[in-house]
Amino acid sequence: MSDIAERVKKIVVEHLGVEPEKVTENASFIDDLGADSLDTVELVMAFEEEFGVEIPDDAAETILTVGDAVRFLEKNTE
Amino acid sequence: MFDLSGRKALVTGASGGIGGAIARAMHGAGATVGLSGTRAEALETLAGELGERAHVLTCNLGDPAAVDALVPRAEEALGGLDILVNNAGITRDNIFIRMKDEEWQTVLDVNLSAAFRLSRAAVKNMMRRRYGRIIGITSIVGVTGNPGQANYAAAKAGMIGMSKSIAQEVATRGITVNCIAPGFIETAMTDELNEKQRESILGHVPAGRLGTSEEIAAAALYLASEEAGYVTGQTLHVNGGMAMI
């Protein structure tokens, strides 16, 4: 697992209070991890802080799974 | 009783009677306050009176770009933002059949859309901090209606509905969103009434007098306090019993 994936997983586990083994690449924040729509906004805010990037609203709306977040951040961070 | 030490509050319309009283009350309770309004001179005078912990942030709420910039400016000047008081309001009264598009739109822009934009901007960092107080100063006429004020009443009613919706969305994040609905209060707005109008209004007020800005500020201080943490989505009517709803 990449460093980015590890950091994303840590944020998701902490924020949603879920078991680490449930945070798989294809896990959907809302359908699989019990997030509500406000949680997804907060996750995006947490990613922005952790990785020092800005995630515009239209990009944020496409981040539905753990893998989506990792791929976006891999593409958009140094 | 209500201690706002260390809290940061932004009050729009702080150059007016009610806004100024709210800013004073919050400052008096220990908050650092951002005074927003269009009249820089009046704001500077108030800031001078308050002394430390008071910052002037002039802003034209009719200008969306200026509105969007206000919360970030306040967060920088105050060192964060815990309390947002959407108090600024204007009137462009006219009987409905003659009401111009411009009269409708200007009132909606300043009284409702600005409150929407400011609240949206403020709630983001309030969510991060898991604490926030958003207070909208609406009006009795937003609930009862008032001839000649279709635009104003619509904006004020809109503020109540908006506040209830935001309140439900952010309740789990330690953020409360409430409104205060003043009745007839002694301000520049009611000073324009003639003696006959005053008497006729007072005939409908069980308390038999106009309210004061300080009485609105006291309600705002309560809703801004930590103690009011379980009160959200409410409209607190401060009207001398004029309408019991």
Side-chain angles (χ1 to χ4, degrees), chain B residues 15-243:
Chain B
S15 50
I18 291 177
I22 292 172
R24 265 178 229 279
M26 291 189 175
H27 185 270
T32 300
V33 294
L35 310 170
S36 189
T38 47
R39 287 176 286 150
E41 220 170 288
L43 296 173
E44 290 293 353
T45 306
L46 177 57
E49 253 175 67
L50 296 179
E52 279 178 28
R53 296 183 282 109
H55 302 261
V56 171
L57 299 157
T58 51
C59 181
N60 171 12
L61 295 183
D63 173 0
V67 174
D68 285 337
L70 181 57
V71 165
R73 282 170 63 206
E75 286 176 336
E76 193 179 341
L78 311 178
L81 185 60
D82 306 296
I83 301 160
L84 169 65
V85 184
N86 286 309
N87 162 74
I90 57 166
T91 54
R92 294 284 184 275
D93 296 356
N94 205 343
I95 56 167
F96 182 67
I97 203 163
R98 294 198 192 287
M99 189 167 281
K100 309 283 179 293
D101 286 5
E102 187 271 337
E103 291 167 339
W104 172 267
Q105 199 57 51
T106 308
V107 168
L108 266 289
D109 285 348
V110 173
N111 296 11
L112 183 58
S113 300
F116 155 67
R117 288 168 175 277
L118 294 175
S119 302
R120 184 179 58 183
V123 85
K124 200 170 181 185
N125 280 323
M126 289 177 176
M127 271 168 56
R128 281 203 174 98
R129 286 194 297 272
R130 291 287 190 270
Y131 187 90
R133 298 282 182 266
I134 298 177
I135 300 167
I137 307 302
T138 173
S139 165
I140 179 64
V141 309
V143 179
T144 62
N146 198 29
Q149 293 198 307
N151 48 1
Y152 187 76
K156 294 302 189 183
M159 186 180 245
I160 293 173
M162 177 177 78
S163 298
K164 289 178 177 177
S165 303
I166 308 170
Q168 292 182 39
E169 290 187 25
V170 299
T172 55
R173 270 63 175 181
I175 304 168
T176 67
V177 189
N178 292 289
C179 288
I180 296 169
F184 278 94
I185 307 299
E186 287 171 24
T187 63
M189 252 191 230
T190 48
D191 281 348
E192 289 168 21
L193 301 169
N194 63 39
E195 204 46 47
K196 206 174 157 197
Q197 287 172 314
R198 272 177 100 90
E199 266 174 37
S200 141
I201 288 165
L202 288 180
H204 299 285
V205 181
R209 63 172 178 86
L210 297 184
T212 65
S213 296
E214 288 70 28
E215 287 168 321
I216 303 304
L221 184 59
Y222 166 62
L223 291 175
S225 73
E226 224 172 300
E227 285 85 345
Y230 201 53
V231 177
T232 195
Q234 302 303 310
T235 299
L236 180 48
H237 289 270
V238 183
N239 62 25
M242 178 184 172

Side-chain angles (χ1 to χ4, degrees), chain A residues 2-78:
Chain A
S2 71
D3 166 56
I4 285 179
E6 280 296 341
R7 286 155 74 193
V8 165
K9 187 171 172 177
K10 187 161 175 273
I11 288 171
V12 174
V13 167
E14 273 173 16
H15 190 86
L16 298 179
V18 291
E19 300 296 324
E21 52 271 22
K22 285 195 177 157
V23 185
T24 57
E25 190 187 340
N26 293 325
S28 153
F29 296 122
I30 290 176
D31 296 333
D32 301 317
L33 301 176
D36 65 19
S37 51
L38 204 54
D39 287 319
T40 63
V41 173
E42 289 185 326
L43 281 173
V44 165
M45 283 168 18
F47 297 148
E48 288 179 329
E49 267 169 42
E50 169 74 18
F51 295 94
V53 290
E54 201 167 312
I55 305 178
D57 285 349
D58 53 343
E61 280 163 18
T62 67
I63 299 178
L64 305 175
T65 67
V66 176
D68 292 338
V70 172
R71 280 185 292 276
F72 178 89
L73 292 163
E74 280 174 347
K75 246 186 248 172
N76 293 281
T77 51
E78 302 272 312

